[in-house]
Amino acid sequence: MMLFALPHTRGPCFVCRWLCQCLYWNVGNVRMDREDTGRASGTQMILGLCVFLLSTTSTVIAADQSVLDAEQARVAMIERVAPSVVAIFASSGNGGGSGVLITPDGYALSNYHVTSGSGTFMKCGLKDGKLYDAVIVGIDPTGDVALIKMLGRDDFPAATMGDSDTVQTGDWVFAMGNPFLLATDFSPTVTAGIVSGVRRYQYPAGTILEYTDCIQTDASINPGNSGGPLFNATGQLVGINGRGSFEKRGRVNVGAGYAISINQIKHFLDGLRGGRIVDHATLGALVRTGNDREVMVDEVLEQSSAYRRGLREGDEIVSFAGRPIGSVNQYKNVLGIYPDGWTVPLVYRREGKRSEMLVELRSLHRASELQAKPKGPEGPRPRPQQPPGDPKKKPEPKPQPDDAPHPPGGPAEEAKAPEQWKHLFEEKAGFANYYFNQLEQKRVLAGLSEFTSLSALTGRWKFAGQTADNRAFVVTLADAGLGMTIGKDLVFFQPLDNSEPQDEPPNTGGLLIALHHFKQMVTTGPSSFSVVSYVGSQPLDGRGPTVDVLATQAGIVQTRWYCHRQEGRLLGWDSSLGNDVDPCSVRIDSTAEFDGRRCLGTWTVRYGDQTFGTFHNAVIELQAAK
């Protein structure tokens, strides 16, 4: 049998030629050596191998082509999304991190622990090699998220946000960013891996920072990757890289990185766009693991909405916000993805009976905790010490924020704001940047335009009509006081003097004062209130359409106004006579025209979990001030 030196030519043609040569020479060998049985049998084995290889060549070629196609698709995807990846630097030049653009007008996501050390204004580089100015917009100190706005363009390349609830263990993912500040031309570094786990919980470690419902990946996340995007195989943004587990020596990733899920960020995104320091939520209850591994309520605050709805110690939590609860970690995971003020469904079991309630979530932190000045970029972290008595045992890697390389020392000095952009920042207590809150206020208030014709009618108002149960009613809103009659016998009055507002009619949460605030909002506008702010967005009443939320306050009365997120129109409002009490909830079922002016048509009033009544206005008398 003859041996052949394989030429360097590649491709299927070379394979076919080589097999044909083997076949030709070995057929000759069989013919010449047919008397030599042993040699013939060996040659026949070669012939058989050649036939087999020839028969499978097309399959091999097809498989190779599919690999090449997948590679080309991956390269194209990375090329498509890479322009949206941001390299973030402090204006002073100290430290850095990563981010990702999410809108063409320049809004970009990053980590709070990245931007907190970069100052109010920062520098951001893109793959195009250009450096742009950027300003802080909103921050989430608990969830380790920040929103910035890059400046100078309105056509930035933006990533497409995906659905992180569809991410599964084993999915391919790609982490992008600027680890170790390697890319001096701002071209992002790409690392690939799989999703190692979903809905992971990372407890707070000496700070209020808490990672809930996060994505675990073995894609390499190193110092400088913080705030950068985690893309799925189709190039959709499914997370923001933040924490990593690092080896005992140095800051080298050991294959356990964590990304904040994009669906959690979506819950907070409008609040961040409003320039707020957003807070996460608490139910107002402590839970524990029961004897049968069920999640039991250990304690409930009496001031909480959950307590007012009937949740008590010893109840079993079955599901929360639509997700089954099988452990304390699962409960913390779900709770941690919601902002304070949201309403969510809760299912519990007591003595074998399942019940459901809607609960309003409370703020997790005090305002002073959220507004504490961050420590900024830090120097080298202390190394974990070996456990005493066991020098051979290595300590477990601990998850920690993946800071970019920083010089030792405290926070970077605040650089001077660029002259052309300094108007884009307004400092105010409780806000990361009040300038952007005012922008959102103006946008939402524009949704009240259907009531513009009422603006001059600041005098006496009178509503008259029928309730859903066919009782006549009359509402009077005057400068001296507020009154209401229902049927023949029920009369209610609220003076407008220096006395505190009352729950009138009783068990409405203060309907008269709530209607008075509606009149003030559509006539005088925001100037009627001592406090006005844009809160963010949420599902109306936990299950309805997404609404923008505007908060106002006058005296002790706090009101939240709900405007349809897409259509802008006012859907209703909640007015509370103080903290930790159920509000009077007014929902606008329809509006109607009276003498050419649009006002409330049919409206429903609820208090707690009870409906007080539905009212249909038949006559409205509106007067200008005398």
Side-chain angles (χ1 to χ4, degrees):
M1 183 178 68
M2 299 186 66
L3 298 177
F4 296 90
L6 301 184
H8 293 292
T9 307
R10 294 183 179 180
C13 294
F14 152 68
V15 175
C16 294
R17 287 199 303 270
W18 183 77
L19 290 175
C20 288
Q21 289 179 31
C22 289
L23 184 61
Y24 172 79
W25 286 105
N26 283 285
V27 167
N29 288 340
V30 172
R31 188 169 56 249
M32 290 184 295
D33 303 310
R34 66 179 63 192
E35 301 299 328
D36 188 341
T37 304
R39 186 173 181 182
S41 63
T43 304
Q44 288 170 352
M45 290 176 63
I46 297 296
L47 287 173
L49 177 61
C50 291
V51 172
F52 170 76
L53 290 175
L54 281 170
S55 66
T56 59
T57 298
S58 59
T59 303
V60 172
I61 294 169
D64 286 347
Q65 189 59 48
S66 68
V67 171
L68 290 173
D69 291 343
E71 180 183 22
Q72 292 173 356
R74 182 171 64 251
V75 170
M77 180 275 290
I78 291 172
E79 185 67 22
R80 185 178 73 252
V81 301
S84 67
V85 182
V86 182
I88 298 176
F89 308 93
S91 294
S92 61
N94 291 329
S98 304
V100 58
L101 283 154
I102 57 171
T103 65
D105 57 347
Y107 286 98
L109 291 168
S110 185
N111 282 145
Y112 168 67
H113 79 263
V114 169
T115 63
S116 63
S118 299
T120 301
F121 288 88
M122 57 206 78
K123 299 290 186 179
C124 294
L126 294 182
K127 188 175 181 288
D128 60 10
K130 297 180 182 178
L131 200 61
Y132 299 86
D133 288 309
V135 63
I136 193 71
V137 178
I139 58 175
D140 176 6
T142 306
D144 198 20
V145 176
L147 185 70
I148 63 175
K149 191 174 193 302
M150 293 176 58
L151 309 169
R153 290 173 58 179
D154 58 7
D155 62 344
F156 283 104
T160 300
M161 288 190 286
D163 180 0
S164 55
D165 284 345
T166 65
V167 173
Q168 302 180 62
T169 301
D171 284 350
W172 283 103
V173 285
F174 301 86
M176 301 182 73
N178 193 12
F180 305 111
L181 310 184
L182 293 174
T184 55
D185 62 352
F186 314 134
S187 179
T189 295
V190 185
T191 58
I194 64 168
V195 174
S196 307
V198 296
R199 295 181 173 173
R200 297 298 200 211
Y201 177 71
Q202 294 291 316
Y203 55 87
T207 68
I208 65 172
L209 186 148
E210 182 177 19
Y211 276 45
T212 60
D213 217 40
C214 55
I215 301 168
Q216 180 185 342
T217 178
D218 67 351
S220 185
I221 296 176
N222 291 300
N225 275 118
S226 278
L230 186 72
F231 291 110
N232 64 14
T234 62
Q236 293 180 320
L237 179 64
V238 294
I240 295 297
N241 303 318
R243 273 185 165 180
S245 293
F246 298 102
E247 286 184 345
K248 171 187 164 187
R249 298 185 180 182
R251 301 285 319 283
V252 180
N253 186 280
V254 295
Y258 302 92
I260 305 152
S261 69
I262 200 65
N263 283 11
Q264 171 182 318
I265 294 173
K266 289 176 183 178
H267 292 162
F268 293 84
L269 188 55
D270 285 328
L272 294 170
R273 284 181 66 110
R276 294 185 57 225
I277 304 173
V278 299
D279 194 14
H280 288 237
T282 175
L283 181 63
L286 299 177
V287 300
R288 59 178 172 82
T289 303
N291 295 331
D292 296 322
R293 309 301 298 172
E294 72 274 33
V295 178
M296 309 294 294
V297 176
D298 204 33
E299 184 181 347
V300 191
L301 288 176
E302 293 185 7
Q303 301 94 324
S304 68
S305 169
Y307 186 88
R308 294 195 298 273
R309 298 287 80 77
L311 191 68
R312 294 295 183 268
E313 179 183 346
D315 290 342
E316 178 189 350
I317 305 294
V318 177
S319 72
F320 185 72
R323 277 167 53 173
I325 302 299
S327 69
V328 173
N329 267 12
Q330 286 181 356
Y331 166 76
K332 290 181 178 180
N333 255 342
V334 182
L335 183 60
I337 67 175
Y338 291 105
D340 66 307
W342 276 44
T343 297
V344 298
L346 183 150
V347 177
Y348 67 98
R349 183 182 289 114
R350 181 185 301 163
E351 297 178 352
K353 181 181 178 182
R354 289 167 59 106
S355 301
E356 183 174 358
M357 61 174 67
L358 287 172
V359 293
E360 182 180 346
L361 303 178
R362 300 163 55 88
S363 296
L364 181 60
H365 302 100
R366 296 186 297 272
S368 58
E369 293 178 284
L370 294 173
Q371 296 175 34
K373 293 292 184 181
K375 296 179 180 179
E378 53 188 280
R381 296 180 180 273
R383 296 175 179 174
Q385 298 298 315
Q386 291 283 12
D390 191 1
K392 295 182 180 180
K393 185 178 180 181
K394 295 182 178 180
E396 291 293 325
K398 293 184 178 180
Q400 49 190 275
D402 157 36
D403 296 322
H406 296 299
E413 292 184 9
E414 180 73 24
K416 185 178 179 181
E419 190 66 28
Q420 69 183 117
W421 307 121
K422 65 180 183 180
H423 67 284
L424 298 181
F425 177 75
E426 184 173 335
E427 189 170 3
K428 186 173 183 178
F431 295 87
N433 189 342
Y434 190 62
Y435 172 85
F436 286 91
N437 197 271
Q438 293 178 93
L439 291 183
E440 294 303 300
Q441 288 180 40
K442 292 176 183 177
R443 179 182 63 80
V444 175
L445 287 168
L448 302 179
S449 58
E450 65 176 321
F451 302 114
T452 301
S453 60
L454 307 177
S455 60
L457 304 176
T458 58
R460 179 176 170 272
W461 282 24
K462 180 180 178 181
F463 302 160
Q466 295 283 323
T467 65
D469 56 0
N470 295 318
R471 292 182 295 169
F473 75 90
V474 177
V475 174
T476 303
L477 308 177
D479 292 339
L482 317 169
M484 185 174 193
T485 62
I486 301 178
K488 297 180 179 179
D489 305 320
L490 300 178
V491 180
F492 312 99
F493 181 71
Q494 168 69 62
L496 289 181
D497 50 21
N498 293 327
S499 60
E500 286 194 355
Q502 301 298 314
D503 180 16
E504 291 288 353
N507 299 318
T508 62
L511 173 59
L512 287 177
I513 203 69
L515 292 172
H516 175 62
H517 276 211
F518 170 76
K519 177 187 173 184
Q520 288 182 302
M521 177 60 88
V522 298
T523 56
T524 311
S527 61
S528 304
F529 306 96
S530 58
V531 176
V532 182
S533 68
Y534 174 73
V535 175
S537 64
Q538 64 186 64
L540 181 63
D541 301 323
R543 291 171 171 161
T546 301
V547 291
D548 283 309
V549 184
L550 197 69
T552 61
Q553 185 168 348
I556 66 168
V557 182
Q558 304 168 34
T559 302
R560 286 193 166 208
W561 307 89
Y562 305 115
C563 295
H564 197 287
R565 187 70 174 86
Q566 281 73 42
E567 301 172 10
R569 58 191 175 87
L570 182 67
L571 299 184
W573 69 97
D574 291 347
S575 291
S576 302
L577 302 178
N579 296 318
D580 299 324
V581 297
D582 285 327
C584 174
S585 297
V586 181
R587 298 294 178 263
I588 302 174
D589 302 317
S590 67
T591 59
E593 284 196 5
F594 301 88
D595 297 326
R597 296 184 176 92
R598 186 157 294 277
C599 195
L600 299 180
T602 302
W603 39 286
T604 298
V605 179
R606 294 199 303 272
Y607 177 60
D609 52 4
Q610 300 296 318
T611 298
F612 178 75
T614 296
F615 300 83
H616 176 71
N617 290 339
V619 178
I620 289 184
E621 298 176 5
L622 309 173
Q623 298 178 0
K626 295 181 179 180

